[in-house]
Amino acid sequence: MRLGILVSGRGSNLGAVLDAAARGDLPGVEAVIVISNRPGVPALKVAERHGVPVVVLARRDFAGPEARDAAIGSRLRLAGVEVALLAGYDQVLRPTYFAAFDGMTLNIHPSLLPAHGGAGMIGMAVHCSVLAAGDRETGVTVHAVSAELDAGPPRLQARVPVHPDDSPETLAARVLEVEHRVVVEAIAALAAERERGPSSATMAVAPESVPPDAAARE
Ligand code: GAR
């Protein structure tokens, strides 16, 4: 399963996936390209360290977001990508992306979607929203991406407790640890499912699991 990964920043989920592949925990999965919409971000170094080719497609190099998103989709297609993973990618993908790339796109989101998803819900904003709501648990969702924000069907969810004395930072750290495990599990499950054939597409459930990004401006 040829995997492409879209990033915008730190790249810890990217690192978790590439480390797992290097350990042999993702049989049949090959990371073939990493695309960033931001130059100079740490995620690019993570990819380089693992020898995965990187491409930067910055908004300023295109007439508009539609053209940039078409370019992202084309690069994925040219690289022979079958599954694209949004790993901290901080922009909504426009329809031009889905027109150019017809493989599956997955996103990792740091809450139990549909809770705390949608416009502006990225990274720390998600954890602030969970604490402001007084939720006693949050979690991680890996879901298929459709043109509608944070609305594609979930493939894997895992619960994470919220502690009474949590700050956004302590909660983010607890959730991130689970993200790193769940994103690898979701990719491994998808690869195994594709190996078995198309009929086995069901939502996987982690042991402790419960059955747009209009995001940051560039
Ligand atoms: C992760 O927590 C990821 O779930 C979140 O951004 C962070 C990126 O960290 N994504 C979203 O909020 C998507 N709506 P990373 O760059 O270290 O993987």
Side-chain angles (χ1 to χ4, degrees):
M1 186 173 90
R2 291 174 69 83
L3 187 67
I5 300 121
L6 270 58
V7 295
S8 301
R10 180 175 53 188
S12 73
N13 278 292
L14 170 66
V17 170
L18 298 183
D19 285 345
R23 283 196 306 270
D25 288 349
L26 287 173
V29 176
E30 188 189 359
V32 294
I33 190 169
V34 169
I35 300 178
S36 174
N37 60 327
R38 298 178 190 277
V41 292
L44 294 170
K45 290 264 176 281
V46 174
E48 282 163 12
R49 205 166 55 236
H50 283 270
V52 182
V54 301
V55 174
V56 176
L57 297 172
R59 165 79 177 76
R60 62 166 181 256
D61 296 331
F62 294 87
E66 288 77 13
R68 194 271 312 280
D69 288 3
I72 293 174
S74 300
R75 291 305 285 255
L76 292 173
R77 186 165 39 76
L78 278 173
V81 168
E82 298 167 277
V83 175
L85 172 70
L86 311 186
Y89 185 70
D90 66 5
Q91 297 297 306
V92 180
L93 288 164
R94 282 81 176 174
T96 49
Y97 166 86
F98 296 95
F101 175 65
D102 65 356
M104 177 184 275
T105 301
L106 294 178
N107 180 43
I108 177 150
H109 186 85
S111 75
L112 292 173
L113 288 176
H116 310 289
M121 283 295 123
I122 180 138
M124 207 53 86
V126 178
H127 306 300
C128 290
S129 171
V130 168
L131 292 176
D135 293 356
R136 298 180 54 184
E137 71 171 9
T138 181
V140 172
T141 303
V142 175
H143 64 100
V145 176
S146 59
E148 198 188 338
L149 203 54
D150 288 345
R155 293 192 56 86
L156 188 61
Q157 289 191 306
R159 287 175 158 156
V160 177
V162 178
H163 297 167
D165 58 349
D166 264 333
S167 65
E169 290 76 19
T170 59
L171 183 57
R174 192 175 313 116
V175 171
L176 192 64
E177 226 179 281
V178 177
E179 287 186 47
H180 292 166
R181 175 174 59 75
V182 166
V183 71
V184 170
E185 281 176 20
I187 291 168
L190 181 60
E193 183 183 290
R194 290 168 68 95
E195 185 76 26
R196 285 195 304 270
S199 62
S200 55
T202 51
M203 175 179 164
V205 180
E208 72 279 50
S209 298
V210 290
D213 293 356
R217 285 179 181 277
E218 287 177 289

